[in-house]
Amino acid sequence: MASWTSLSPSIVEYFEGEDFYRCGYCKNESGSRSNGMWAHSMTVQDYQDLIDRGWRRSGKYVYKPVMNQTCCPQYTIRCRPLQFQPSKSHKKVLKKMLKFLAKGEIFRRNCEDEPMDSTMEDTVAGDFALINKLDIKCDLKTLSSDLKESLESEEKKKEKSSKREESHSQAIEEKLGSGEPSHSIKVHMAPKPGKGADLSKPPCRKAKEIRKERKMLKLMQQNPAGEFEGFQAQGQAPSAFPPKTKSNHPKSLEDLIFESLPENASHKLEVRVVRSSPPSSQFKATFQESYQVYKRYQMVIHKDPPDKPTVSQFTRFLCSSPLEAENPPNGPECGYGSFHQQYWLDGKIIAVGVIDILPYCVSSVYLYYDPDYSFLSLGVYSALREIAFTRQLHEKTSQLSYYYMGFYIHSCPKMKYKGQYRPSDLLCPETYVWVPIEQCLPPLENTRYCRFNQDPEAVDQGRSKEPDRVRVFYKKAIMPYGVYKKYQKDPSEEAAVLQYASLVGQACSERMLLFRS
């Protein structure tokens, strides 16, 4: 595993989105369009900056929809977990899970808000052949020997300066000690055993309790002694209006998720986070079981034929990742990179959330689950668990405070559910600033493509201003584009590099290596 101070740079090959292809959302046969690049490796900071410019990964393929041309514009959406309060429907899902765990109760009703069940990378699903070609064409072996030599020589030059920077950072860190204000935003954790609500009592009794309180007051007025004592004998508290006290202090998300279960609970649920890239020993040990859940999910939920959800497809899209594993001392205990969040029920995997942990966020990639447990609304439940997980990571790593849910597509009813996790923001496709979703929805009712930034003078602050500084890897050497273009007379080559620079922005274009053959 790469150390924090000796990470390889991001290495990408860029491909222009020349052709339109089938849209996975509206099923238009030639309506979708995106630009993409194959990432041989990528630092988590580069990927964080890219998704903040509208990019998204599918395996090692990183793509950006051409927003003003594609049939279903896809807006990057993020939730703000630190201010998140579960809605009434969210609470119902959490209570349903608790009832199932505690008593084995099963609800077979259809859930309207089931998703977080994102369709299989729909923006690129229309062209699996392209991804397969790139997978072969961009084999890292074709680059490894030449690139390693160049990187080693470049790293040696930087070694002395980086060591000085590291010692300087350590000195600052020592001065700061453990003074990171991780408690600045209070996050309620799970209640201790015995202090949660008693699941043996029927939930949602608010209306019934109010009626009993009214009856109690009436009885007290009639005969405070005898009648009231009889009422108390039924197990009711003598204090008046306890529900009002509770309503003043609503339960936190964690209180609802980790509510105490009785000792004789029917089921046990455990959530494990395992690193998927590079694969950890736990990931390898559970690979086959996890794949079988994925296969059943694709066949039952997405109606795939039995031969389509292959091991190679599963590996390529949900296990392979370009993200380098990073474990800085000030980062989360599990480190940064790509992970599978496995949901174990009574010793077997019933669902897996594929996530990336980045410097400022947890990014949800995909969810698949055993269709036999659809009644638990695992799409919604996993999203709420991932929000709670983000809050947990924030306690140690204060800058990690967002939950990215992929793309919000207002024109697709199936994908609008993501807007139910509030507060949330959408990314302006022109200036790349975050705008509260409440401000974005009215214009989206009138037109599919919108610039959310209301300031007409605002521009993309991270745009490519000095394309000659783009880092290029060409003929065993790393060079700025200003040098590389002297070797190239093809005008289409210049157009491609400039387009790449404009899409990734100045910062990434100077850090990442653009491979050119």
Side-chain angles (χ1 to χ4, degrees):
M1 186 181 295
S3 69
W4 182 249
T5 55
S6 60
L7 290 169
S8 300
S10 303
I11 307 160
V12 300
E13 291 187 61
Y14 177 68
F15 304 95
E16 294 176 83
E18 297 176 352
D19 300 323
F20 286 86
Y21 53 88
R22 185 176 184 272
C23 176
Y25 300 108
C26 70
K27 312 305 178 185
N28 186 325
E29 290 299 325
S30 58
S32 190
R33 191 179 190 189
S34 65
N35 295 297
M37 52 191 178
W38 190 262
H40 295 283
S41 66
M42 184 167 285
T43 65
V44 290
Q45 184 60 62
D46 283 340
Y47 186 53
Q48 175 73 67
D49 290 351
L50 287 175
I51 63 174
D52 284 335
R53 293 183 65 81
W55 292 81
R56 191 89 182 146
R57 79 172 183 88
S58 171
K60 291 189 173 184
Y61 184 68
V62 187
Y63 59 96
K64 186 181 190 302
V66 182
M67 296 289 282
N68 59 351
Q69 296 180 28
T70 193
C71 55
C72 295
Q74 299 143 59
Y75 300 94
T76 302
I77 182 171
R78 72 177 187 186
C79 172
R80 285 175 259 150
L82 306 185
Q83 294 83 39
F84 175 80
Q85 287 292 336
S87 67
K88 188 175 180 180
S89 63
H90 294 152
K91 290 176 182 177
K92 283 183 179 178
V93 170
L94 295 174
K95 288 177 181 177
K96 181 167 57 176
M97 175 63 82
L98 286 171
K99 284 184 180 180
F100 171 71
L101 296 177
K103 300 180 179 180
E105 290 186 23
I106 294 176
F107 296 83
R108 292 292 180 184
R109 295 193 302 265
N110 291 327
C111 290
E112 296 176 2
D113 52 353
E114 171 52 25
M116 219 53 182
D117 154 35
S118 46
T119 51
M120 181 59 175
E121 305 301 343
D122 281 321
T123 49
V124 290
D127 202 345
F128 281 112
L130 169 65
I131 309 266
N132 293 336
K133 286 178 185 176
L134 296 180
D135 205 356
I136 298 169
K137 178 182 176 182
C138 304
D139 191 342
L140 189 57
K141 291 177 182 177
T142 61
L143 300 178
S144 59
S145 57
D146 295 341
L147 187 56
K148 281 180 181 176
E149 289 175 14
S150 299
L151 292 177
E152 282 171 9
S153 61
E154 198 169 81
E155 287 298 324
K156 285 177 183 178
K157 293 176 185 177
K158 293 180 178 179
E159 192 173 350
K160 290 183 180 179
S161 61
S162 65
K163 280 183 179 179
R164 285 197 298 270
E165 289 175 8
E166 186 182 357
S167 62
H168 179 63
S169 298
Q170 286 176 348
I172 293 173
E173 209 168 291
E174 286 169 9
K175 288 179 182 178
L176 291 173
S178 58
E180 192 69 40
S182 59
H183 57 278
S184 57
I185 299 179
K186 188 174 181 181
V187 178
H188 299 286
M189 298 309 293
K192 294 180 180 178
K195 291 190 178 180
D198 185 357
L199 286 172
S200 64
K201 293 180 182 178
C204 302
R205 295 173 55 204
K206 191 172 182 181
K208 191 174 180 181
E209 286 174 350
I210 291 171
R211 287 197 298 272
K212 286 189 176 182
E213 284 162 9
R214 288 174 181 166
K215 183 179 178 182
M216 180 176 67
L217 289 173
K218 187 176 180 181
L219 290 171
M220 285 174 70
Q221 290 171 356
Q222 292 174 353
N223 188 350
E227 304 277 355
F228 180 56
E229 286 172 6
F231 196 81
Q232 272 186 278
Q234 298 174 15
Q236 301 301 318
S239 58
F241 310 113
K244 284 191 177 180
T245 306
K246 289 182 180 178
S247 67
N248 290 335
H249 301 281
K251 287 185 177 181
S252 70
L253 176 62
E254 287 77 11
D255 290 336
L256 292 164
I257 290 174
F258 302 111
E259 194 163 317
S260 303
L261 294 172
E263 289 183 7
N264 61 343
S266 299
H267 301 286
K268 179 184 177 183
L269 179 68
E270 182 185 359
V271 179
R272 303 177 191 172
V273 178
V274 298
R275 185 178 286 280
S276 55
S277 180
S280 64
S281 57
Q282 299 97 320
F283 179 82
K284 292 176 182 177
T286 57
F287 179 87
Q288 277 300 327
E289 184 176 356
S290 184
Y291 163 66
Q292 291 301 326
V293 175
Y294 164 76
K295 185 174 182 178
R296 287 204 65 220
Y297 173 78
Q298 290 298 126
M299 290 169 60
V300 176
I301 304 298
H302 292 299
K303 313 302 179 187
D304 281 358
D307 59 338
K308 187 178 179 182
T310 61
V311 171
S312 61
Q313 185 215 44
F314 171 65
T315 302
R316 184 181 301 116
F317 285 95
L318 298 179
C319 304
S320 297
S321 169
L323 300 185
E324 299 240 349
E326 303 181 19
N327 287 87
N330 61 340
E333 288 183 14
C334 58
Y336 296 114
S338 297
F339 299 83
H340 279 195
Q341 201 165 34
Q342 301 173 337
Y343 293 76
W344 289 77
L345 181 70
D346 302 332
K348 71 172 186 178
I349 298 175
I350 64 163
V352 177
V354 182
I355 60 173
D356 292 329
I357 301 178
L358 304 175
Y360 308 129
C361 74
V362 169
S363 174
S364 177
V365 179
Y366 198 67
L367 171 82
Y368 56 94
Y369 55 83
D370 186 335
D372 288 347
Y373 296 91
S374 295
F375 65 89
L376 289 173
S377 302
L378 290 169
V380 176
Y381 182 77
S382 67
L384 297 172
R385 288 294 299 244
E386 287 172 6
I387 289 172
F389 181 55
T390 306
R391 286 155 65 134
Q392 179 189 339
L393 295 179
H394 168 80
E395 289 202 317
K396 183 179 186 295
T397 310
S398 58
Q399 72 273 16
L400 201 164
S401 54
Y402 295 102
Y403 174 58
Y404 285 49
M405 295 178 283
F407 289 133
Y408 173 84
I409 306 172
H410 192 74
S411 57
C412 178
K414 188 177 178 182
M415 303 300 287
K416 288 174 70 173
Y417 72 91
K418 295 181 182 182
Q420 297 169 6
Y421 296 81
R422 305 280 181 97
S424 58
D425 310 296
L426 297 185
L427 187 69
C428 175
E430 295 180 11
T431 61
Y432 303 113
V433 297
W434 294 99
V435 180
I437 193 169
E438 293 83 359
Q439 297 178 27
C440 304
L441 297 181
L444 284 173
E445 289 293 332
N446 300 320
T447 176
R448 291 187 172 192
Y449 174 73
C450 293
R451 169 194 166 108
F452 299 134
N453 193 328
Q454 297 299 311
D455 181 2
E457 304 298 321
V459 296
D460 169 17
Q461 294 297 325
R463 67 191 182 281
S464 175
K465 301 171 186 175
E466 299 179 78
D468 281 359
R469 294 172 64 89
V470 172
R471 290 180 83 197
V472 178
F473 182 70
Y474 176 67
K475 289 190 174 180
K476 303 183 182 182
I478 298 170
M479 63 189 73
Y481 175 67
V483 174
Y484 167 74
K485 67 182 180 182
K486 295 176 182 177
Y487 299 97
Q488 291 294 324
K489 305 300 179 185
D490 184 356
S492 64
E493 174 71 3
E494 180 179 12
V497 174
L498 293 179
Q499 185 184 66
Y500 157 82
S502 69
L503 294 174
V504 303
Q506 188 68 35
C508 282
S509 72
E510 289 189 42
R511 290 195 305 255
M512 301 193 304
L513 291 181
L514 174 62
F515 176 77
R516 306 307 283 177
S517 57

